[in-house]
């Protein structure tokens, strides 16, 4: 294996012998193979789309083939062929999503099946396929020990770095686009970029400059995807409201939901109504409590535990079934494997899986019946935390915020969005939050907040010192807040606002969030706890020169430069 896509990669360089995240060598290689095959599929899809306008026979033949294919979904039967399939596969390769070799073997077969079906249609309709990349014709038997497959398949260090950066950004887009799609929101430009970006990573004619432009474009599509997901979430569940969320437990058995999927928790809330089973959130599901259409369920009890990496201890003590809707899953302990369930593209061999039915619904009755036989959760802590400061609610108190800045009660906003992780160096973020001057406000989103959201940092004239906008994708909300504040202060450039950025990253959605912030013109981002291993020195130079990105150092010095 050679994987360096996340912040916890071995020695800050790459996982080569064992994976820090726990995936096996076989799964790491199958993920590389799937990505390679998807790049070939993207090139074939693109060719088909380009040919369709002049060739109605081609369209009919492809549609007929897709209709008969088990892998294609109804969304695939439009102009952007196989978008849902590709997004789901890409999401499955994000860190801590799927650990099952069978899953990846099946997806490779399906991808090749889809690709070859479309290739037949292209050839039979006279479309020239000679210029397609090698990845568009590779067979399953040629995938292992294939030097074109995997990160090291690209020899030039800068090109490799840019190709990987683009691929990880596209994985982030795919994850957020998946969440929007299941709520019925899609955008053809996003689908097209996924295709275009993947094809670019196997195009040997592209220069480093052209790849750099695509990486920056990826950030722009990231903004568009996060905006689409924001629209999907708020139109479906209402605008998040500031809410005090209970941390203690009730006396009934419960089901714990982790990951990021609001639709899954909504259907579980519906199916558990009146059953005597409570529902709790874990980690990135915390914002569920802030959406009007989700918080209305009285058996949505509270949030249990902290960040994703603490799940081994917390899931053990929860006593009831646990549903993992997306990342971050860690290899489970025996003490709760039989109570753990995955869904969507999450997978782990030997763990129960709730699959989507043909009509798009999911049946959680097995988990509900199991919960009824379980003890209530063991209490971990007491009290409450406040969340729900996405752009609408934060901007509803904009006048108060602006006055507090003008009167000198707030000197600075520090955006501390991103991810948490298991390494000790993340303690930096707790200490940074604790040592910030009392007249500063933290704007946060993502699981990074668990390093400081339970500290008693107080408020400034009723404005909490930690304003939590929601999940990692809601980092977009923080920039909307910054843009509106800039307007209110009559500033043309958001960098002139009293806002600094100290971002923590872990996996590939956070890579996209970073690219999105750069696209929105944010300069001077401090990034940690380590810089991405996949960013080669020359690529880092671009980030430094163009955007003044730097690594975090120590709490004292960073407070001096950021406040
Ligand atoms: Fe965290 Fe995991 Fe949400 Fe990530 S739970 S680390 S950036 O999956 O997606 O913030
Ligand atoms: Fe290593 Fe991270 Fe890749 Fe897992 S996802 S193998 S921890 S670099």
């Amino acid at each position: 294996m050679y994987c360096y896509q996340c912040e916890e990669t071995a020695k800050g360089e790459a996982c080569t012998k064992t994976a820090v995240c726990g995936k096996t060598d076989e799964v790491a290689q199958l993920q590389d193979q799937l990505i390679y095959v998807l790049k070939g599929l993207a090139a074939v899809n693109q060719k088909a789309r380009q040919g369709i306008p002049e060739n109605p026979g081609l369209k009919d033949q492809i549609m007929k083939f897709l209709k008969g294919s088990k892998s294609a979904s109804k969304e695939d039967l439009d102009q952007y062929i196989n978008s849902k399939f590709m997004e789901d596969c890409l999401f499955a390769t994000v860190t801590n999503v799927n650990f099952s070799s069978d899953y990846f073997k099946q997806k490779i077969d399906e991808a090749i099946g889809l690709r070859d079906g479309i290739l037949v249609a292209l050839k039979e309709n006279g479309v020239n396929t000679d210029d397609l990349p090698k990845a568009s014709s590779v067979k399953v038997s040629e995938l292992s020990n294939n030097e074109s497959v995997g990160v090291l398949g690209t020899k030039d260090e800068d090109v490799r770095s840019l190709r990987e950066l683009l691929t990880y950004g596209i994985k982030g887009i795919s994850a957020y686009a998946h969440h929007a799609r299941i709520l019925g929101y899609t955008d053809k430009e996003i689908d097209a970029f996924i295709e275009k970006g993947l094809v670019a990573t196997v195009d040997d004619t592209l220069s480093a400059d052209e790849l750099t432009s695509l990486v920056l474009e990826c950030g722009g599509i990231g903004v568009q995807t996060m905006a689409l997901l924001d629209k999907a979430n708020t139109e479906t569940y209402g605008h998040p409201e500031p809410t005090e969320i209970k941390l203690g437990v009730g006396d009934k058995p419960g089901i714990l939901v982790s990951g990021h999927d609001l639709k899954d928790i909504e259907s579980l809330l519906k199916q558990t109504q009146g059953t005597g089973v409570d529902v709790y959130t874990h980690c990135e599901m915390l914002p569920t409590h802030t959406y009007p259409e989700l918080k209305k369920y009285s058996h949505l009890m509270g949030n249990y535990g902290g960040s994703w990496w603490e799940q081994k201890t917390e899931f053990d003590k929860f006593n009831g079934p646990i549903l993992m809707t997306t990342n971050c899953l860690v290899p489970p302990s025996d003490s709760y494997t039989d109570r753990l369930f995955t869904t969507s593209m999450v997978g782990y061999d030997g763990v129960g899986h709730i699959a989507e039915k043909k009509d798009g619904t999911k049946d959680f009755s097995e988990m509900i019946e199991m919960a009824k036989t379980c003890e209530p959760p063991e209490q971990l802590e007491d009290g409450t935390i406040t969340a729900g400061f996405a752009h609408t609610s934060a901007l509803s108190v904009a006048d108060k915020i602006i006055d507090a800045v003008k009167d000198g009660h707030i000197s600075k906003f520090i955006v501390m969005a991103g991810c948490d992780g298991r390494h000790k160096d993340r303690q930096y973020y707790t200490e940074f939050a604790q040592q910030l001057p009392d007249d500063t406000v933290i704007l946060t989103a993502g699981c990074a907040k668990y390093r400081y959201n339970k500290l008693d940092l107080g408020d400034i004239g009723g404005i909490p010192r930690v304003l939590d906008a929601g999940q990692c994708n809601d980092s977009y909300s923080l920039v909307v807040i910054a843009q509106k504040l800039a307007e209110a202060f009559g500033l043309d450039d958001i960098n002139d606002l009293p806002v600094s950025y100290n971002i923590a990253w872990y996996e590939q959605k956070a890579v996209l969030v970073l690219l999105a912030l750069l696209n929105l013109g944010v300069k001077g981002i401090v990034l940690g706890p380590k810089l991405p291993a996949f960013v080669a020195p020359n690529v880092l130079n671009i980030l430094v020169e163009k955007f003044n990105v730097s690594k975090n150092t120590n709490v004292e010095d960073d407070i001096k430069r950021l406040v």
Side-chain angles (χ1 to χ4, degrees):
M1 79 167 76
Y2 190 97
C3 181
Y4 61 177
Q5 66 173 353
C6 83
E7 191 271 339
E8 293 188 355
T9 193
K11 296 187 187 139
E13 289 170 10
C15 293
T16 52
K17 293 198 176 75
T18 50
V20 175
C21 60
K23 72 184 175 194
T24 60
D25 180 44
E26 185 189 18
V27 167
Q29 296 198 34
L30 288 167
Q31 288 184 349
D32 284 348
Q33 293 173 13
L34 176 59
I35 296 285
Y36 186 68
V37 171
L38 290 176
K39 291 173 177 180
L41 174 61
V44 170
N45 288 339
Q46 208 177 45
K47 192 64 109 176
R49 285 196 300 101
Q50 285 158 358
I52 281 171
E54 298 145 25
N55 203 332
L58 174 63
K59 183 172 184 180
D60 292 347
Q61 192 169 341
I62 291 174
M63 290 304 135
K64 204 167 152 207
F65 161 69
L66 290 176
K67 272 190 188 130
S69 151
K70 275 194 200 144
S71 312
S73 61
K74 72 174 174 359
E75 294 96 334
D76 293 326
L77 303 181
D78 66 11
Q79 200 193 349
Y80 289 92
I81 307 156
N82 300 319
S83 293
K84 180 183 185 310
F85 174 81
M86 292 211 297
E87 264 165 33
D88 289 357
C89 289
L90 286 158
F91 195 175
T93 69
V94 167
T95 304
N96 293 338
V97 176
N98 197 306
F99 295 79
S100 163
S101 51
D102 287 347
Y103 177 90
F104 290 108
K105 281 180 195 157
Q106 190 190 328
K107 290 297 162 194
I108 290 169
D109 283 345
E110 287 179 37
I112 288 183
L114 287 169
R115 182 198 72 189
D116 289 350
I118 298 169
L119 266 177
V120 168
L122 288 172
K123 286 178 184 157
E124 286 181 3
N125 284 277
V127 178
N128 175 23
T129 58
D130 294 344
D131 53 352
L132 284 167
K134 277 191 285 181
S136 296
S137 55
V138 71
K139 299 189 185 80
V140 178
S141 58
E142 295 164 349
L143 283 168
S144 35
N145 301 319
N146 182 331
E147 64 163 20
S148 302
V149 175
V151 171
L152 300 177
T154 304
K155 303 297 169 219
D156 181 282
E157 189 187 28
D158 295 339
V159 173
R160 182 197 302 149
S161 174
L162 290 162
R163 284 179 174 180
E164 293 307 312
L165 184 52
L166 182 54
T167 306
Y168 305 152
I170 290 173
K171 289 188 186 193
I173 292 176
S174 300
Y176 294 146
H178 162 88
H179 287 296
R181 187 182 294 272
I182 55 170
L183 293 176
Y185 291 74
T186 55
D187 176 340
K188 287 193 157 79
E189 265 181 45
I190 297 171
D191 297 344
F193 184 81
I194 292 175
E195 218 172 65
K196 175 170 115 176
L198 286 180
V199 175
T201 63
V202 283
D203 182 347
D204 293 332
T205 66
L206 292 182
S207 66
D209 282 350
E210 286 166 309
L211 282 167
T212 306
S213 306
L214 276 165
V215 166
L216 299 178
E217 191 182 337
C218 181
I221 297 292
V223 174
Q224 204 167 320
T225 315
M226 285 191 262
L228 180 73
L229 180 52
D230 182 70
K231 184 172 154 69
N233 284 340
T234 54
E235 288 186 357
T236 311
Y237 301 117
H239 284 279
E241 298 166 348
T243 309
E244 276 204 19
I245 301 159
K246 215 173 124 186
L247 299 175
V249 298
D251 55 7
K252 291 187 190 143
I255 295 177
L256 184 59
V257 187
S258 196
H260 299 72
D261 200 305
L262 299 179
K263 192 175 177 193
D264 281 337
I265 200 163
E266 182 195 27
S267 51
L268 185 67
L269 283 163
K270 283 184 180 157
Q271 291 180 37
T272 41
Q273 244 178 337
T275 62
V277 172
D278 288 333
V279 174
Y280 292 81
T281 57
H282 183 258
C283 191
E284 278 278 72
M285 294 305 296
L286 179 79
T288 307
H289 300 272
T290 68
Y291 284 94
E293 286 305 311
L294 298 171
K295 66 190 274 191
K296 68 182 186 188
Y297 293 93
S298 59
H299 63 300
L300 177 64
M301 276 304 280
N303 191 64
Y304 190 80
S307 182
W308 64 269
W309 59 274
E310 296 180 279
Q311 67 189 251
K312 275 204 169 166
T313 342
E314 295 170 353
F315 288 3
D316 186 28
K317 295 187 172 161
F318 184 73
N319 294 331
I322 303 132
L323 179 67
M324 187 53 81
T325 62
T326 65
N327 49 336
C328 282
L329 171 68
V330 306
S333 303
D334 291 347
S335 65
Y336 62 84
T337 302
D338 59 339
R339 290 188 276 119
L340 182 64
F341 292 81
T342 58
T343 188
S344 304
M345 65 291 304
V346 191
Y348 196 93
D349 289 338
V351 166
H353 187 82
I354 311 286
E356 192 178 272
K357 294 194 288 186
K358 270 204 176 133
D359 62 0
T361 61
K362 290 182 185 175
D363 177 3
F364 295 106
S365 54
E366 186 187 349
M367 293 184 73
I368 298 167
E369 289 313 307
M370 181 187 280
K372 290 179 186 165
T373 68
C374 296
E375 292 291 314
E378 182 181 326
Q379 178 140 322
L380 298 175
E381 56 194 331
D382 208 357
T384 58
I385 37 176
T386 306
F389 287 95
H391 54 94
T392 325
S393 49
L395 292 170
S396 70
V397 290
D399 290 348
K400 223 170 156 181
I401 294 175
I402 291 161
D403 288 347
V405 174
K406 285 187 175 157
D407 299 346
H409 297 303
I410 295 178
S411 70
K412 200 95 187 183
F413 296 91
I414 318 283
V415 176
M416 290 179 72
C419 320
D420 195 11
R422 59 196 126 196
H423 288 164
K424 279 217 176 81
D425 52 3
R426 302 249 177 190
Q427 179 65 17
Y428 160 93
Y429 294 102
T430 310
E431 289 165 14
F432 185 90
Q434 278 168 325
Q435 291 181 35
L436 277 171
D438 291 344
D439 61 355
T440 54
V441 172
I442 295 172
L443 302 176
T444 193
C447 59
K449 59 172 150 283
Y450 283 101
R451 289 283 168 176
Y452 45 80
N453 67 346
K454 293 173 189 171
L455 301 173
D456 187 10
L457 295 178
D459 64 51
I460 299 174
I463 302 164
R465 286 199 52 231
V466 179
L467 292 179
D468 177 4
Q471 297 180 334
C472 41
N473 46 290
D474 295 309
S475 305
Y476 156 81
S477 227
L478 300 177
V479 180
V480 173
I481 295 170
Q483 286 171 332
K484 296 284 176 202
L485 286 179
E487 268 172 39
F489 282 110
L491 301 170
D492 294 333
D493 184 348
I494 57 168
N495 295 299
D496 294 335
L497 281 170
V499 181
S500 304
Y501 296 80
N502 192 358
I503 307 285
W505 81 286
Y506 170 54
E507 44 88 350
Q508 300 80 57
K509 288 186 226 172
V511 173
L512 181 73
V513 170
L514 176 70
L515 295 178
L517 292 179
L518 299 181
N519 176 276
L520 287 162
V522 176
K523 299 234 162 67
I525 292 174
V526 169
L527 185 66
K530 285 188 209 77
L531 290 183
F534 53 83
V535 172
N538 287 334
V539 177
L540 183 62
N541 283 344
I542 300 173
L543 295 179
V544 173
E545 277 164 25
K546 267 185 129 107
F547 302 103
N548 193 19
V549 172
S550 64
K551 192 194 144 345
N552 68 330
T553 59
N554 61 68
V555 173
E556 289 72 26
D557 290 347
D558 287 345
I559 286 187
K560 263 188 221 146
R561 64 176 169 146
L562 289 174
V563 179

